[in-house]
Amino acid sequence: MNRKEFRDLASPEAAREAIDSLSLEGGIDRVSLEDARGRVLVARLDAELDVPGFDRASLDGYALRARDTFGADEADPARLEVVGAVHAGEEPTIDLEDGQAVEISTGAVMPSGADAMVPVERTDRVEPRSTDSANGDAASETGDDGDEVLIRTSVAPGDNVMFAGADVAAGERALGPGTTITPRDIGLLSALGVDEVPVRAKPRVGIVSTGDELVRPGEALESERGEIYDVNSYTIAAGVEDAGGEAILYPHAGDDQDEMERILREAADDCDLVLSSGSTSASAVDVIYRIIEEQGDLLLHGVSVKPGKPMLVGRLDSSAYVGLPGYPVSAMMVFRTFVAPAIREAAGLPEPKAATVPGTMARSERYGEGRLRLMPVGLVQNGDGETLVYPVDKGSGATTSLAEADGVVTVDPETDYLEAGESVTVDLFSPDVRPPTLLGVGEDDPTVNRLLDGLENPRYLSVGSRPAVRRLREGVPDVAVLAGPIDRDLEADELGRWSREWGLVVRPGNPHELEGLADLVDRDLRFVNRTTDSGLRSTLEAAIDDLAADRGTDRQKLVAAIDGFDLGLRAHESPARKVIAGDADAGLGLRATAERLDLGFVSLGEQPVCVFANADRTAKASVRELAAALEEPPTEH
Amino acid sequence: MNRKEFRDLASPEAAREAIDSLSLEGGIDRVSLEDARGRVLVARLDAELDVPGFDRASLDGYALRARDTFGADEADPARLEVVGAVHAGEEPTIDLEDGQAVEISTGAVMPSGADAMVPVERTDRVEPRSTDSANGDAASETGDDGDEVLIRTSVAPGDNVMFAGADVAAGERALGPGTTITPRDIGLLSALGVDEVPVRAKPRVGIVSTGDELVRPGEALESERGEIYDVNSYTIAAGVEDAGGEAILYPHAGDDQDEMERILREAADDCDLVLSSGSTSASAVDVIYRIIEEQGDLLLHGVSVKPGKPMLVGRLDSSAYVGLPGYPVSAMMVFRTFVAPAIREAAGLPEPKAATVPGTMARSERYGEGRLRLMPVGLVQNGDGETLVYPVDKGSGATTSLAEADGVVTVDPETDYLEAGESVTVDLFSPDVRPPTLLGVGEDDPTVNRLLDGLENPRYLSVGSRPAVRRLREGVPDVAVLAGPIDRDLEADELGRWSREWGLVVRPGNPHELEGLADLVDRDLRFVNRTTDSGLRSTLEAAIDDLAADRGTDRQKLVAAIDGFDLGLRAHESPARKVIAGDADAGLGLRATAERLDLGFVSLGEQPVCVFANADRTAKASVRELAAALEEPPTEH
């Protein structure tokens, strides 16, 4: 085997420096105001006009000369001649003189000669008095409108008038370079009449997934050939867009060097950064390595972090290049730690607000490989409102771990042991991560799934009943769902229980005419079991014991006679699916599953399903909510 | 005047209830994985397949039967016959027997008969030994590949193998209803082969701005007619999209009832919610009021909040309807408080994380109208790292206040006085609001503008030099920029100073051949001044005093002889712009401004511009950064 070893791993700092040395910036876009939200201004924007552009009435009322109101009050109003009206959007034609007023609407242009206005509430419209005029000779002489107004307050020049430029004056600094445009900034830009702004172009990031075994989601998968769905392309693309970049997906590159080179070059030509990831086979890694080293500029190969060791940093043609590990969890962790900050920087976006949460380790965690560890963790609040932190690790090939995690604890290379109860700081995956309100573990069960749908943001790990008991004892989850024979010694509060019918899931119509467990032992049938972790398996084992007792024989003999007894599948539907696929004649399962999948069912009995709450969590709102939901006994459907 | 009075204002709670009673939900969209980020799943998604879909090698190495390795170690390896190889994406054709191994790549399908694998690092490939075989008879008998492998460790069944369904098993609950889809969830969906998900449709929100005086940004504005740019349309649209809705802008409706009804109905037909806002003239408000009351269903008219009193809630045809106040600040505050939560609810998005900041009032604030007050505030950190909170209020007609604010303090109707030093809680406009690093106040000056460009996220209020002195004494801003004669008694640290050339900005080529201040007094020229708040004005006043002394006359006489002396504009470029517009022959201004705008300039002298720091802020990072920038004396350009 021809393998590249990562002998001299770069430090995380060196990896960061290498990525910082790449230029990812994408230039300048001009975007319309409608598309400006969240974009980053490249240059200072000064006001090119006054806002408002004219002296503007702030209220509905009368424009007038302030000195005509001096001394006026409720008891002794000033009387002015009304010589016209101005509404918003109209050009005033009147030149106001002493003793005159003009009716004016909010937002209208103050007429020439007026220097203040009085709101309508402090005025009364009256008929002119021909004989005695409060304002002397002006009242009854001129005026087509013919009427007058009593002003019951005195105002100073400028009162209730917004002068031109009072809001923003031409030449003022409006928005600085680097401003991330908010709706409020869009308000300011609108007021200034700006309909297009120069913003940082989003860095274009090309994503190339490599590996002959990858299939795009939505397409048909041939599992027997070892095909798997491509997880990295869409996930990294979403991460790129979260970081302010524009993601461009390229066709899968297989492990063929010429094809891979062609695709990488095409991406490099079009993008500011090319990210590859994909096949974890050594051959593919080697191919990319060779292309970058020979055709481009390789700055760094391998970094001392876990997960994420196999990482490339370099340049290809005019583009920056980062090679991510193929395993989805590793790829996302490396992307998040090293690449996303560089994309944000290039996009001009500030580092997201420190979204960190203090917590305490829920259990001890050992790690001693001497690399910086980026440990995905889940969070749960204990009864005291303290945040417990537990590592989420479903193995390096797992694609789904991160969906079950809330953030990351960074463990430095010198720390090889974290004790339970130790304080740690969790970097949330994003500031808007909301840790689950409820953490449940236990049996995989369709009724549980339905119950969870009624809760807000629960997390449920269907680890099976046996591990659930252990985890409940360790004190991490809020609740555990246990099926089958239930341990009496459990120090936990029972929130509720129901029973489910279990048995053998068979092909529609039960073509082999199975009647019970004895058929599996006595006849040549292929069976599919559940794992020993599941409560269903425990109940099956008890039934085997009963059958052995009935027959006066050894249970081992019965078990040995069942083809497939030792093969245990993890989820409640999996055996049924093997029956559908024709890989088995019978599978251990539930009536509910058989009915849902239109299969036959041979009932072997009922088993209880119990929900227990961690004794210190019974006061938690989500636990109380679940308890309330359990008061109406759940029914299978 | 025919006015609708808001006599019975609804309580804020009643307004919330009225809006909650409107149904804004928009149904279900099916979106591709590429568009799923941030959308909200409508239904639970169970795994339809096992991930991985096959038993998968976790590493590069050899697939084998675990029992063939029992007892093997470095010193005493097991020797197995290599009978083939399987790579990722290939279907294995070999059926492994005792004593055999198959070379296998990470991610490849485990061949039939193998139950474990050993990583390549713990193996050595060797030539077959014809005479003595470590593994008995199997070694040299069969095998086209002809070679053998030494296994230097023992493994248990299942070691280094990821079994089918170990990551996700078919039938397992994958994502619950209401999940806001993150990049990590996209990873899970990809792994499950899901390329399209059912998500909540974004509520469609139609936006209708009303008012004859409104002009869309980018179009020409006739200020003399009282036209202003439409601020609300784009601002509310951005707010709608922030809240998870889809904004649709409709053409402006003027104040004509038929036209407005036609546009409102068109929007109601197409949208889940119609928002109107716009003209603040009473007539327009009345027209909308009448349309909703007569043609639709009016639930509420007027709410007891400030700003925002004039608010309508109702239904029109099949759409919900909310009428926002016309003033931009009021419109945004009402939108934010009452409408955005309803849009988020309909979009299925959780309320944004409580983005609140505790602070203390920087100065006292009186308010006694008995309405719930939504007070926009700015934030600044004092020397102790405490957050000071100051109200931002440029008057009800101001469009730009919110761009200068960071959040809102809600003051209950019973509180009519907030004392300086009182503790308040600020709701940030959004969780990602970053209060400015530096708060500066003072003279409007082009050099200051340029200096600010070099700082990260500064805020500068160009209130003029005189108010800046007062504000610096009140202790709110970090720095004040003062121009002209400088108060010696200021208890503040001078960070730096430069001088600027001031004088008269005139038309290009100085057609009136102005030579100095005396020309303004002695000749019939139209002049434009700056406000008394500006340092430029203070220096001009001093020059007038000098001229009066020279002539042995009264300064009042000189001032009275200058046409336009009393008209003071707020920004440093404004007088120059009046000269360009032909409204004046000379304006008070700077050489820098004249040069930038290609105007003539008559120099009257130099004046100092000084940057002072609040004595308790000199250790602040941003203040030190500004001080450093000032060490190279700024030059006008």
Side-chain angles (χ1 to χ4, degrees):
Chain A
M1 243 180 219
N2 180 15
R3 313 185 80 253
K4 270 279 159 204
E5 282 297 331
F6 302 102
R7 265 178 255 278
D8 298 310
L9 294 179
S11 68
E13 295 68 38
R16 251 180 222 111
E17 277 167 27
I19 290 178
D20 284 350
S21 78
L22 306 168
S23 163
L24 308 187
E25 272 176 47
I28 294 172
D29 278 350
R30 294 196 69 86
V31 297
S32 75
L33 215 48
E34 280 168 284
D35 299 322
R37 185 177 64 99
R39 302 300 297 270
V40 178
L41 211 59
V42 282
R44 187 177 77 226
L45 218 134
D46 292 340
E48 291 288 332
L49 44 78
D50 285 336
V51 180
F54 51 91
D55 298 343
R56 187 172 191 249
S58 298
L59 298 163
D60 290 336
Y62 292 87
L64 38 66
R65 298 188 172 200
R67 62 176 169 256
D68 283 343
T69 70
F70 292 169
D73 59 19
E74 284 293 331
D76 185 19
R79 176 179 283 255
L80 302 183
E81 180 196 9
V82 179
V83 295
V86 201
H87 294 109
E90 279 178 13
E91 181 163 2
T93 51
I94 300 146
D95 207 341
L96 203 85
E97 291 173 14
D98 286 339
Q100 296 183 332
V102 164
E103 189 182 316
I104 195 162
S105 315
T106 309
V109 182
M110 289 288 287
S112 167
D115 63 5
M117 67 148 295
V118 173
V120 66
E121 290 83 359
R122 311 301 299 274
T123 66
D124 280 304
R125 200 65 175 264
V126 293
E127 287 305 307
R129 289 177 301 185
S130 47
T131 49
D132 77 322
S133 160
N135 284 286
D137 45 73
S140 48
E141 276 173 19
T142 55
D144 303 354
D145 288 329
D147 56 3
E148 298 183 345
V149 62
L150 297 180
I151 306 292
R152 301 192 173 280
T153 185
S154 83
V155 288
D159 276 5
N160 305 315
V161 178
M162 185 172 216
F163 287 107
D167 194 350
V168 191
E172 267 194 300
R173 188 179 196 270
L175 292 174
T179 302
T180 305
I181 298 170
T182 65
R184 291 163 289 127
D185 297 322
I186 287 176
L188 174 56
L189 293 167
S190 297
L192 295 172
V194 174
D195 64 340
E196 206 185 64
V197 284
V199 296
R200 287 255 201 135
K202 296 185 175 196
R204 289 171 65 84
V205 181
I207 294 169
V208 179
S209 278
T210 65
D212 288 329
E213 77 279 27
L214 295 184
V215 173
R216 282 266 155 103
E219 292 172 16
L221 193 72
E222 286 183 63
S223 281
E224 58 283 8
R225 288 190 53 202
E227 289 182 348
I228 55 172
Y229 283 115
D230 173 15
V231 171
N232 286 338
S233 291
Y234 291 110
T235 314
I236 301 292
V240 164
E241 300 197 334
D242 251 7
E246 183 186 347
I248 300 126
L249 296 189
Y250 285 86
H252 284 148
D255 292 352
D256 173 71
Q257 172 146 4
D258 288 346
E259 191 203 351
M260 203 178 287
E261 184 174 334
R262 190 185 55 72
I263 292 175
L264 286 174
R265 287 223 128 113
E266 187 193 329
D269 210 45
D270 197 35
C271 296
D272 302 305
L273 167 65
V274 176
L275 292 175
S276 75
S277 82
S279 171
T280 51
S281 72
S283 55
V285 167
D286 277 359
V287 166
I288 293 189
Y289 178 91
R290 225 175 296 136
I291 293 170
I292 303 300
E293 195 177 45
E294 289 166 15
Q295 314 283 324
D297 185 7
L298 184 68
L299 300 178
L300 188 138
H301 181 205
V303 61
S304 183
V305 295
K306 181 195 168 81
K309 193 164 66 170
M311 176 193 183
L312 303 177
V313 179
R315 284 191 197 88
L316 181 64
D317 302 332
S318 61
S319 172
Y321 167 80
V322 175
L324 300 172
Y327 273 140
V329 171
S330 308
M332 268 311 270
M333 295 301 278
V334 166
F335 174 80
R336 183 182 178 280
T337 309
F338 297 102
V339 184
I343 294 174
R344 273 195 297 269
E345 167 82 28
L349 295 176
E351 275 299 290
K353 252 191 185 173
T356 61
V357 171
T360 58
M361 290 296 289
R363 51 176 186 253
S364 63
E365 175 73 5
R366 182 179 293 283
Y367 172 72
E369 287 183 42
R371 283 187 270 155
L372 183 77
R373 184 168 178 204
L374 308 168
M375 181 171 73
V377 295
L379 305 180
V380 60
Q381 284 211 336
N382 71 10
D384 302 328
E386 219 181 5
T387 299
L388 299 182
V389 178
Y390 58 93
V392 173
D393 188 358
K394 295 170 81 174
S396 65
T399 52
T400 58
S401 315
L402 295 188
E404 290 177 4
D406 300 304
V408 176
V409 170
T410 302
V411 187
D412 67 61
E414 286 71 42
T415 304
D416 55 7
Y417 189 71
L418 289 171
E419 257 179 292
E422 196 161 321
S423 295
V424 290
T425 298
V426 181
D427 292 309
L428 297 179
F429 282 116
S430 73
D432 53 358
V433 161
R434 281 151 213 267
T437 54
L438 180 87
L439 178 63
V441 298
E443 189 75 4
D444 187 22
D445 177 86
T447 305
V448 170
N449 290 351
R450 230 168 39 249
L451 277 169
L452 294 169
D453 289 351
L455 302 177
E456 200 188 310
N457 195 22
R459 174 173 292 151
Y460 188 75
L461 310 175
S462 56
V463 295
S465 293
R466 276 202 344 190
V469 170
R470 198 189 67 239
R471 295 204 189 188
L472 193 61
R473 287 210 172 104
E474 285 176 354
V476 180
D478 295 318
V479 297
V481 179
L482 311 182
I486 285 157
D487 191 335
R488 296 282 140 210
D489 286 350
L490 209 57
E491 275 183 43
D493 284 27
E494 186 176 319
L495 295 182
R497 65 165 67 202
W498 64 95
S499 72
R500 59 182 191 178
E501 197 174 353
W502 69 280
L504 302 177
V505 178
V506 296
R507 272 191 274 282
N510 191 7
H512 290 290
E513 298 181 342
L514 273 81
E515 290 180 358
L517 218 44
D519 290 317
L520 295 182
V521 176
D522 303 334
R523 294 167 57 187
D524 188 18
L525 296 166
R526 286 170 303 159
F527 174 65
V528 182
N529 211 339
R530 294 285 310 282
T531 68
T532 54
D533 285 343
S534 73
L536 212 49
R537 171 72 170 257
S538 307
T539 297
L540 174 68
E541 303 267 3
I544 296 272
D545 289 346
D546 290 347
L547 184 63
D550 278 357
R551 294 191 177 185
T553 182
D554 189 320
R555 76 177 302 279
Q556 280 311 322
K557 281 196 185 137
L558 299 188
V559 163
I562 301 176
D563 177 17
F565 190 89
D566 286 337
L567 181 65
L569 301 186
R570 222 169 55 72
H572 73 274
E573 270 187 24
S574 305
R577 287 173 182 269
K578 291 279 182 194
V579 171
I580 294 173
D583 293 341
D585 302 310
L588 180 60
L590 303 175
R591 177 181 288 282
T593 305
E595 285 176 358
R596 202 180 81 77
L597 297 173
D598 290 325
L599 289 167
F601 183 68
V602 179
S603 180
L604 295 178
E606 300 246 325
Q607 73 167 181
V609 185
C610 258
V611 183
F612 286 96
N614 189 326
D616 93 325
R617 311 286 167 82
T618 49
K620 245 180 112 160
S622 59
V623 173
R624 289 206 315 265
E625 221 176 303
L626 180 61
L630 281 164
E631 272 174 21
E632 290 179 34
T635 49
E636 294 187 51
H637 69 162
Chain B
M1 246 179 217
N2 179 15
R3 312 183 82 249
K4 269 278 159 205
E5 282 297 332
F6 303 101
R7 263 179 254 278
D8 298 310
L9 294 178
S11 69
E13 294 70 36
R16 251 181 222 111
E17 277 167 28
I19 290 177
D20 284 350
S21 77
L22 306 169
S23 162
L24 308 186
E25 273 176 44
I28 296 172
D29 277 352
R30 294 198 67 87
V31 297
S32 75
L33 215 49
E34 280 169 285
D35 299 323
R37 186 176 64 99
R39 302 300 296 270
V40 178
L41 210 57
V42 281
R44 186 178 78 226
L45 219 135
D46 293 338
E48 292 287 332
L49 45 78
D50 284 338
V51 181
F54 52 91
D55 297 343
R56 185 171 191 249
S58 297
L59 299 163
D60 289 337
Y62 292 87
L64 39 67
R65 298 188 172 200
R67 61 176 171 255
D68 284 344
T69 70
F70 291 170
D73 60 19
E74 285 293 333
D76 184 18
R79 176 180 282 254
L80 301 183
E81 180 197 5
V82 178
V83 294
V86 200
H87 293 109
E90 277 177 14
E91 182 166 2
T93 52
I94 300 146
D95 208 342
L96 203 84
E97 289 173 15
D98 285 340
Q100 296 183 333
V102 164
E103 188 181 319
I104 194 162
S105 315
T106 309
V109 182
M110 288 289 285
S112 168
D115 64 3
M117 66 148 295
V118 173
V120 66
E121 290 82 0
R122 311 302 298 274
T123 66
D124 280 305
R125 199 65 174 262
V126 292
E127 287 306 306
R129 291 175 300 182
S130 49
T131 49
D132 75 322
S133 158
N135 282 288
D137 45 72
S140 48
E141 277 174 19
T142 56
D144 303 353
D145 289 328
D147 54 3
E148 298 182 344
V149 62
L150 298 180
I151 306 294
R152 303 191 174 280
T153 185
S154 84
V155 288
D159 276 5
N160 304 315
V161 178
M162 184 172 218
F163 287 107
D167 196 348
V168 191
E172 270 194 301
R173 186 179 198 270
L175 293 175
T179 302
T180 304
I181 298 170
T182 66
R184 291 164 290 127
D185 298 322
I186 287 176
L188 174 55
L189 293 167
S190 297
L192 295 173
V194 174
D195 65 338
E196 206 184 65
V197 283
V199 297
R200 289 256 200 135
K202 297 185 175 196
R204 288 171 65 84
V205 181
I207 295 169
V208 180
S209 279
T210 66
D212 288 330
E213 76 277 26
L214 295 184
V215 173
R216 281 267 154 104
E219 292 172 16
L221 193 72
E222 287 184 61
S223 282
E224 57 284 7
R225 288 191 51 202
E227 290 183 346
I228 55 173
Y229 283 114
D230 173 15
V231 171
N232 286 337
S233 291
Y234 291 109
T235 313
I236 300 292
V240 163
E241 299 197 335
D242 252 7
E246 183 188 346
I248 300 126
L249 296 189
Y250 285 86
H252 283 149
D255 293 350
D256 173 70
Q257 172 147 4
D258 288 345
E259 190 203 352
M260 201 177 288
E261 185 176 332
R262 191 185 55 71
I263 292 175
L264 286 175
R265 287 222 127 114
E266 187 192 330
D269 210 43
D270 198 36
C271 296
D272 302 305
L273 168 65
V274 176
L275 292 176
S276 77
S277 82
S279 170
T280 51
S281 71
S283 55
V285 168
D286 277 357
V287 168
I288 294 188
Y289 178 90
R290 226 175 295 135
I291 292 170
I292 303 301
E293 196 177 46
E294 289 165 16
Q295 316 282 324
D297 184 9
L298 186 67
L299 301 177
L300 189 140
H301 182 206
V303 61
S304 183
V305 296
K306 180 193 167 86
K309 195 163 63 169
M311 175 194 187
L312 304 178
V313 179
R315 285 192 196 87
L316 183 63
D317 302 333
S318 62
S319 172
Y321 167 81
V322 176
L324 301 171
Y327 274 141
V329 171
S330 308
M332 268 310 270
M333 295 301 278
V334 165
F335 174 81
R336 182 181 180 282
T337 309
F338 297 101
V339 185
I343 294 174
R344 272 196 298 269
E345 167 83 27
L349 295 176
E351 275 298 288
K353 253 191 185 174
T356 59
V357 171
T360 56
M361 290 295 291
R363 51 177 188 255
S364 63
E365 175 72 7
R366 183 179 292 283
Y367 170 71
E369 285 184 45
R371 282 187 273 156
L372 183 77
R373 184 170 179 201
L374 307 168
M375 181 170 74
V377 295
L379 305 180
V380 60
Q381 283 211 333
N382 73 9
D384 301 328
E386 219 180 4
T387 299
L388 298 183
V389 177
Y390 58 93
V392 173
D393 188 359
K394 295 170 81 175
S396 63
T399 52
T400 59
S401 314
L402 293 188
E404 289 177 5
D406 299 305
V408 176
V409 170
T410 303
V411 188
D412 67 63
E414 286 70 44
T415 305
D416 56 5
Y417 188 72
L418 288 170
E419 257 179 292
E422 196 161 322
S423 295
V424 290
T425 299
V426 181
D427 292 309
L428 297 179
F429 282 116
S430 73
D432 54 356
V433 160
R434 284 152 210 270
T437 54
L438 181 88
L439 178 63
V441 298
E443 191 76 4
D444 186 25
D445 177 84
T447 305
V448 171
N449 289 351
R450 228 167 42 249
L451 277 169
L452 293 170
D453 289 350
L455 302 178
E456 200 188 310
N457 194 21
R459 174 174 291 152
Y460 188 74
L461 309 175
S462 56
V463 295
S465 293
R466 275 206 340 194
V469 170
R470 198 190 65 238
R471 295 202 188 192
L472 193 62
R473 288 208 171 106
E474 286 175 352
V476 181
D478 295 319
V479 299
V481 179
L482 310 182
I486 284 159
D487 191 337
R488 293 284 140 211
D489 286 348
L490 209 57
E491 275 182 42
D493 285 27
E494 186 174 322
L495 295 183
R497 65 164 68 202
W498 63 94
S499 72
R500 60 183 192 178
E501 197 174 353
W502 70 279
L504 302 177
V505 177
V506 297
R507 273 190 274 281
N510 191 5
H512 289 289
E513 298 181 341
L514 273 82
E515 289 180 358
L517 218 43
D519 289 316
L520 294 182
V521 176
D522 303 332
R523 293 168 57 188
D524 187 17
L525 295 167
R526 284 168 307 158
F527 175 64
V528 182
N529 211 340
R530 293 287 309 284
T531 68
T532 54
D533 286 341
S534 74
L536 212 51
R537 172 71 171 258
S538 306
T539 297
L540 174 69
E541 302 268 3
I544 296 271
D545 288 345
D546 290 348
L547 186 63
D550 279 358
R551 293 192 177 183
T553 180
D554 189 320
R555 75 178 301 281
Q556 280 311 322
K557 279 195 185 137
L558 298 189
V559 164
I562 301 176
D563 178 16
F565 190 88
D566 286 335
L567 180 65
L569 301 186
R570 221 168 56 70
H572 74 271
E573 270 187 27
S574 304
R577 287 172 182 267
K578 292 278 182 195
V579 171
I580 293 172
D583 294 340
D585 301 310
L588 179 60
L590 303 175
R591 177 182 287 283
T593 305
E595 285 176 357
R596 202 181 81 77
L597 298 173
D598 292 323
L599 291 166
F601 184 70
V602 180
S603 181
L604 295 178
E606 299 243 328
Q607 72 166 183
V609 185
C610 259
V611 182
F612 287 96
N614 189 326
D616 92 326
R617 311 287 167 82
T618 47
K620 244 180 113 158
S622 59
V623 174
R624 290 205 314 265
E625 220 176 302
L626 179 62
L630 281 163
E631 271 173 21
E632 291 179 33
T635 50
E636 293 187 53
H637 68 161

